Amino acid sequence: MKILKYTCIALAVIATSCSDDYFDVNSSVTAPTTSSLAPQFRIQGAIENTTGTAQYRGAREIIGVTQYAAHHTRAYESNSWTNGFTTGRYFLWQNAYVYALPNTADLIVLGKKHNAPNYTAVGKILRAYIFGMTTDQYGDIVTEDTYDGESNMNITPKFVTQKEAYKTIFRLLDEAIAELQLPSPIGLNVEGGDVLYDGDQQKWIRFAQSIKARYLNHLSKKTSGDMAYDADAIIAACEAGINSNALNAQQDFVGGEAENQRQPFAEGGYGSSRFRYFSTFFVNLLKNPLNLAVPIEDPRLTIIVPEAVDGGYVGLDVGRGLDGDPPTKYSAGNGGFYTSPTAPTYMLTYSEVKFIEAEARFRKNDLPGAYAAFKQGVQADLEKLNVPTVEMTAYLELLDIEIGPTNIDLSAIMVQKYIANMLNPETWVDMRRMDYSANIYPGLQRPVNVNLDIFPNNDEWIQAMMYEYNEEDRNYVNMPTNDPLIRLKTPVWWNTSDQ
């Protein structure tokens, strides 16, 4: 993979060094990006900033909230929902608006300038993806009143409601799907910049349909109004979406010496220190994913989770820290399938599409259809992880015995989706939609040493992110309340029954 080959020219959004410190700096929010090049020289930067800055940061800051990982100290923010979580320091916000979104705006403008609707479409798909991640973590966000590729970035933008943000997401995706069916004088991969789909526009269309399915599915608590949950629309989008692991939307890494050539959560990656150990919850879930009286281990356990130096697969309680224990006792975060230097960053996969379809079919009481989609989702993930055929066959047969069409439920679907979506920010959406229920996620508990000043009651869970302090400093007139007692505890729009 060519790393940031064409992106170093965009001053406001591109890194000359991809260290973690770089992503934390307060870069200029007024300097425009460079838009003098043709779009084929900008597409790689737009893709890699979507994953390498926006998605990475979105996943990193909630890695303890989703309980994939536990840190060596109890003070780490996402483990105990404290410190940086209450001051809004260095979260997804800046990475989305300063680094990632400006690239998509430039790509849209350049596509129009060069009469290349396919590039405009890719810019819109990536823009919808970033808006989606951002609004899912914060609620109200900025959409139209931000850098548009033609003017300087507005440092005091107006916010829109999450409902309006979702309408923008669906509009961008629908426009992109239509534009990808138009002729273009410039192929998406003529300069090797389409590191996602090698210029295959039909694959981009399926990616866009899959994003659409994901966001339609978020509306599961909306029972009325113009954005009520529509299981049939979700199923239709899934059927038009990613339909094999070959179409998984992923950024690959070559595992080189440079930090940005390695999976961010791998040893030597710029986020490696954020994933110290696998959590007790995640490891235990893999040891008994079907919640059986006599546990049967998931074949993915030994592929995803490294064995502890002292032996066995042992997770660390989220929020406890090592507390005097030797680090060799626990399974290290770096080195498994998702955290090796060459591990991809997955944006959206075939397995997720099938789990979305399974949930939609379950909600419309199509239990045989739900189970069929569910089983396909599990198989897709097992194949993605290269589980040996014998083990995969045995596991799928176990699903038939223990679950089948008669016993399929939301817990079975969401547990398998949780495992398959390892390190994806989408997991936090699911956990909130499911109300952090231990009936859905067996064994799920609030972190040890959780911030009781803000979350004194056992049934209180974190619901949204703090806006970054620099946004609050310069744009306090327009932004919603950033009081941690309100912001961290108030459900976002899609997680309420309000229209």
Side-chain angles (χ1 to χ4, degrees):
M1 184 185 70
K2 298 181 293 299
I3 305 298
L4 300 181
K5 179 178 178 182
Y6 303 118
T7 61
C8 62
I9 51 113
L11 178 62
V13 295
I14 307 303
T16 55
S17 166
C18 287
S19 69
D20 204 37
D21 288 342
Y22 167 78
F23 290 127
D24 281 344
V25 299
N26 282 326
S27 296
S28 169
V29 293
T30 58
T33 56
T34 300
S35 57
S36 58
L37 294 178
Q40 61 265 36
F41 299 104
R42 295 297 305 279
I43 184 172
Q44 183 174 353
I47 295 169
E48 292 182 351
N49 274 272
T50 298
T51 58
T53 59
Q55 181 167 326
Y56 154 68
R57 186 51 68 99
R60 167 188 140 169
E61 304 306 345
I62 59 170
I63 201 169
V65 177
T66 53
Q67 299 209 17
Y68 286 123
H71 216 248
H72 69 292
T73 172
R74 68 178 63 179
Y76 185 61
E77 290 95 331
S78 68
N79 282 205
S80 53
W81 313 345
T82 186
N83 296 343
F85 265 55
T86 62
T87 58
R89 295 181 63 246
Y90 308 140
F91 293 134
L92 168 63
W93 191 263
Q94 180 172 249
N95 282 36
Y97 284 100
V98 179
Y99 303 122
L101 282 168
N103 276 291
T104 67
D106 284 346
L107 199 59
I108 291 169
V109 169
L110 290 170
K112 294 176 180 177
K113 178 181 178 181
H114 291 266
N115 297 313
N118 50 350
Y119 282 92
T120 297
V122 168
K124 290 179 178 179
I125 292 170
L126 297 175
R127 196 166 183 81
Y129 188 86
I130 299 164
F131 278 151
M133 284 192 297
T134 308
T135 188
D136 288 340
Q137 294 207 9
Y138 296 97
D140 295 356
I141 62 168
V142 178
T143 55
E144 307 307 313
D145 197 16
T146 186
Y147 176 74
D148 59 7
E150 297 176 309
S151 58
N152 287 349
M153 192 178 290
N154 182 1
I155 65 172
T156 57
K158 294 180 180 179
F159 283 63
V160 300
T161 65
Q162 185 170 70
K163 181 177 181 178
E164 290 302 315
Y166 265 55
K167 289 182 177 180
T168 296
I169 290 167
F170 293 134
R171 174 181 59 78
L172 289 171
L173 292 172
D174 286 342
E175 290 175 357
I177 291 167
E179 288 165 343
L180 282 167
Q181 299 175 66
L182 300 175
S184 172
I186 312 172
L188 290 176
N189 205 39
V190 292
E191 290 294 332
D194 183 3
V195 294
L196 211 57
Y197 286 126
D198 296 324
D200 190 325
Q201 295 183 192
Q202 292 304 309
K203 292 181 180 179
W204 275 101
I205 290 174
R206 287 193 174 274
F207 179 37
Q209 292 282 9
S210 301
I211 301 171
K212 189 174 181 179
R214 174 190 278 183
Y215 284 90
L216 287 171
N217 196 48
H218 290 178
L219 307 178
S220 55
K221 292 184 179 179
K222 303 299 179 185
T223 58
S224 62
D226 59 336
M227 297 190 75
Y229 184 81
D230 186 340
D232 290 328
I234 295 167
I235 293 168
C238 287
E239 290 174 342
I242 293 171
N243 58 3
S244 77
N245 279 329
L247 272 68
N248 287 345
Q250 63 189 69
Q251 180 182 341
D252 295 321
F253 295 91
V254 298
E257 292 297 322
E259 286 182 330
N260 64 347
Q261 293 180 325
R262 305 168 74 85
Q263 162 58 234
F265 293 107
E267 185 176 1
Y270 48 74
S272 59
S273 64
R274 309 297 175 167
F275 195 156
R276 293 299 182 98
Y277 304 97
F278 280 88
S279 77
T280 300
F281 171 71
F282 183 64
V283 172
N284 287 350
L285 198 66
L286 286 170
K287 288 180 177 179
N288 189 17
L290 305 186
N291 198 29
L292 303 176
V294 179
I296 296 179
E297 187 177 284
D298 195 293
R300 290 165 289 188
L301 171 65
T302 59
I303 298 173
I304 298 173
V305 182
E307 186 174 7
V309 173
D310 292 348
Y313 298 87
V314 183
L316 178 63
D317 293 345
V318 174
R320 185 175 74 87
L322 288 174
D323 198 28
D325 288 343
T328 53
K329 178 180 178 179
Y330 301 102
S331 292
N334 308 141
F337 179 87
Y338 293 97
T339 54
S340 68
T342 56
T345 290
Y346 291 98
M347 301 172 74
L348 212 157
T349 64
Y350 177 42
S351 58
E352 182 186 342
V353 171
K354 299 310 293 185
F355 291 131
I356 292 170
E357 179 186 343
E359 181 182 343
R361 291 189 182 278
F362 177 81
R363 290 186 184 278
K364 63 177 295 185
N365 205 33
D366 174 11
L367 300 188
Y371 180 70
F374 162 80
K375 189 175 178 181
Q376 287 176 307
V378 176
Q379 181 172 345
D381 194 56
L382 295 172
E383 290 175 348
K384 183 186 78 179
L385 271 68
N386 299 311
V387 172
T389 302
V390 172
E391 294 180 35
M392 179 166 58
T393 300
Y395 193 73
L396 294 174
E397 290 176 350
L398 182 64
L399 296 182
D400 290 337
I401 296 169
E402 298 294 340
I403 300 176
T406 57
N407 291 324
I408 186 68
D409 59 13
L410 278 178
S411 178
I413 295 168
M414 301 313 296
V415 164
Q416 291 294 328
K417 188 180 180 186
Y418 176 89
I419 295 170
N421 268 8
M422 172 75 187
L423 288 179
N424 196 307
E426 178 66 10
T427 293
W428 192 29
V429 174
D430 286 339
M431 296 180 84
R432 286 175 288 170
R433 285 197 305 119
M434 299 298 128
D435 300 316
Y436 292 98
S437 172
N439 292 326
I440 299 293
Y441 300 102
L444 180 64
Q445 297 179 352
R446 288 205 315 173
V448 181
N449 298 312
V450 72
N451 186 348
L452 295 178
D453 290 337
I454 297 178
F455 304 94
N457 301 316
N458 289 333
D459 61 348
E460 292 180 316
W461 293 76
I462 186 168
Q463 298 292 337
M465 281 288 188
M466 298 283 295
Y467 293 109
E468 287 192 16
Y469 69 90
N470 49 14
E471 185 72 28
E472 186 172 17
D473 287 345
R474 67 172 176 260
N475 196 27
Y476 63 89
V477 173
N478 290 316
M479 67 181 292
T481 179
N482 213 28
D483 181 343
L485 289 170
I486 298 173
R487 169 137 296 279
L488 296 176
K489 296 168 66 172
T490 303
V492 295
W493 166 79
W494 49 250
N495 209 26
T496 70
S497 59
D498 299 336
Q499 293 186 22

